[in-house]
Amino acid sequence: MELSSTAHVILGMLRNEERSGYEIKQAVDGSTRFFWAASYGQIYPQLKQLSKLGLIEGTEAPRGGRKRTVYRLTPAGRAELRRWLADPAETFELRDEGLLKLFFSGAGTPGDAAGSVADKRRYHADKLDRLREIEPAVKALGDPYPYMVLSHGIEYSEWMIAWCERVEHDLAGAGRGGRRAA
Amino acid sequence: MELSSTAHVILGMLRNEERSGYEIKQAVDGSTRFFWAASYGQIYPQLKQLSKLGLIEGTEAPRGGRKRTVYRLTPAGRAELRRWLADPAETFELRDEGLLKLFFSGAGTPGDAAGSVADKRRYHADKLDRLREIEPAVKALGDPYPYMVLSHGIEYSEWMIAWCERVEHDLAGAGRGGRRAA
DNA sequence: GCATGCATGTAAGGAGTTACATGATTCA
DNA sequence: TGAATCATGTAACTCCTTACATGCATGC
């Protein structure tokens, strides 16, 4: 009875407070999304599944007249979360279409390579902006780990932007030519 | 008629030479695997598909008495490859279970957090070794772009290892305790 | 009254991995 | 002779996203 990795995000998101499926989705989108996403199509069926397994339990908690179910960890659920935390991570996957294009750029124009790197720089600059926005709130949390992970994201983005700038400079040195307007 | 991203890896891998499905898989495993993987279950059906679309063409090229089909780009296939190279990349996805565990580490023991970071450091140190092994061969290529991408991988791994070491040091400062033997 | 947000879900489909099956060849 | 490698493929399965559907509540 292997739990899916999405199951563990749910258990993790319930570690300190009870939450509805909707709120779990909000929490994921506001925090782990950059390195671990989850959609409603995964979350709601998993909540049912985890309830059936006795790892979480849901109670009706309507807001006004609007129906709402919040879930919390059972002791078994907390044990499973802890067991998972103590185990080595299995998944590290990167899918980077920009690097793929850069890799094959010999088949295109010099502008293609420069364009791929510039796109990548903008993508990460944009991400950096969004991470910096949430930084004060995350830093103010009692829990130090989310801030550690956020710092990782910020420093990673900074490193990536610097790498892109350097490569863009190198590419501009040999053979000029842009592809698109910046 | 949107092409899958796997289709473009295949087109890219055929940009300079003709290759069999088996050789494409070898090439992917020896180069783009870290940021763009592909399995036989994708490659062989895609080769059929791309043939039907007229973007590649296969010829029988037995090696000894062993059956073998090599594929090369048609003009239409090369045009599609160039079109794709000039377009902005759409996909950048990261799935990092180690970061997820670190994020939720407040629900575990202090050793769990340190363990997740140590695992991550070892994972990237190992990857770095493998990248350094192929570095001379890639550098010797006529095409500069694969080496650019390899350098990205090497410098990224180095950055990641340094980040892990720093965090491990910080974590060791507050509350000692290891989780597993290194 | 209408748009937006809260809240829960499902159906369909795409993408990708794993495991399996087959068979030839090469090398120790 | 047997193991490893070359070579091609398929079936089943998991995972995940997207699009859709429903309906209440809130605020403009």
Side-chain angles (χ1 to χ4, degrees), chain B residues 99-118:
Chain B
L99 281 187
L100 194 63
K101 292 191 190 213
L102 184 59
F103 188 91
F104 293 135
S105 282
T109 70
D112 291 340
S116 289
V117 179

Side-chain angles (χ1 to χ4, degrees), chain A residues 145-182:
Chain A
Y145 298 109
Y147 183 66
M148 238 174 245
V149 172
L150 177 64
S151 298
H152 177 279
I154 288 175
E155 290 166 37
Y156 170 56
S157 296
E158 289 170 343
W159 174 83
M160 184 70 92
I161 292 165
W163 184 85
C164 289
E165 284 170 349
R166 181 155 49 80
V167 169
E168 283 178 85
H169 181 264
D170 291 351
L171 285 172
R176 321 226 131 238
R179 179 184 49 156
R180 292 186 293 281

Side-chain angles (χ1 to χ4, degrees), chain B residues 21-22 44 48 63 66 68-69 95:
Chain B
Y22 188 82
Y44 283 112
K48 293 281 166 68
R63 211 100 97 175
R66 192 189 286 146
R68 183 163 162 272
T69 310
R95 277 178 87 73

Side-chain angles (χ1 to χ4, degrees), chain A residues 20-22 40 44 48 63 66-69 95:
Chain A
S20 67
Y22 188 82
Y40 289 126
Y44 283 112
K48 294 279 167 68
R63 208 104 99 168
R66 192 190 285 148
K67 219 175 161 186
R68 182 163 162 273
T69 310
R95 278 179 87 73

Side-chain angles (χ1 to χ4, degrees), chain A residues 9-181:
Chain A
V9 191
I10 292 175
L11 295 178
M13 285 300 177
L14 299 178
R15 72 198 182 287
N16 293 327
E17 53 213 308
E18 49 181 34
R19 280 176 161 144
S20 67
Y22 188 82
E23 288 165 340
I24 289 171
K25 168 73 169 149
Q26 304 287 103
V28 166
D29 284 348
S31 60
T32 67
R33 148 183 66 140
F34 290 114
F35 56 92
W36 207 279
S39 65
Y40 289 126
Q42 296 168 268
I43 291 170
Y44 283 112
Q46 271 298 315
L47 286 170
K48 294 279 167 68
Q49 178 71 7
L50 290 170
S51 285
K52 207 159 56 184
L53 293 171
L55 301 180
I56 62 176
E57 59 184 3
T59 55
E60 294 307 306
R63 208 104 99 168
R66 192 190 285 148
K67 219 175 161 186
R68 182 163 162 273
T69 310
V70 293
Y71 296 87
R72 69 170 152 276
L73 292 183
T74 63
R78 187 165 297 277
E80 169 57 25
L81 176 59
R82 284 209 245 257
R83 190 202 59 71
W84 174 74
L85 284 173
D87 265 13
E90 275 162 27
T91 303
F92 180 87
E93 280 167 28
L94 182 63
R95 278 179 87 73
D96 186 334
E97 200 186 358
L99 281 186
L100 194 63
K101 292 191 188 210
L102 184 59
F103 187 91
F104 293 136
S105 282
T109 69
D112 291 338
S116 289
V117 178
D119 287 343
K120 178 177 275 302
R121 173 175 47 75
R122 279 189 290 269
Y123 173 84
H124 287 278
D126 198 70
K127 188 173 65 162
L128 180 58
D129 286 344
R130 279 174 290 163
L131 295 179
R132 284 216 190 282
E133 269 170 40
I134 61 172
E135 194 183 7
V138 177
K139 196 168 191 172
L141 252 42
D143 189 347
Y145 298 109
Y147 183 66
M148 238 174 245
V149 172
L150 177 64
S151 298
H152 177 279
I154 288 175
E155 290 166 37
Y156 170 56
S157 296
E158 289 170 343
W159 174 83
M160 184 70 92
I161 292 165
W163 184 85
C164 289
E165 284 170 349
R166 181 155 49 80
V167 169
E168 283 178 85
H169 181 264
D170 291 351
L171 285 172
R176 321 226 131 238
R179 179 184 49 156
R180 292 186 293 281

Side-chain angles (χ1 to χ4, degrees), chain B residues 99-164:
Chain B
L99 281 187
L100 194 63
K101 292 191 190 213
L102 184 59
F103 188 91
F104 293 135
S105 282
T109 70
D112 291 340
S116 289
V117 179
D119 286 344
K120 177 178 275 303
R121 172 176 47 75
R122 279 189 290 269
Y123 173 85
H124 287 279
D126 197 70
K127 188 173 67 162
L128 180 58
D129 286 345
R130 278 174 291 162
L131 294 178
R132 285 218 189 280
E133 270 171 39
I134 61 171
E135 194 182 6
V138 177
K139 195 168 191 172
L141 251 44
D143 188 347
Y145 297 108
Y147 183 66
M148 237 172 246
V149 173
L150 177 64
S151 298
H152 178 277
I154 287 174
E155 290 166 39
Y156 170 57
S157 296
E158 287 170 344
W159 174 83
M160 183 70 91
I161 292 165
W163 184 85
C164 289

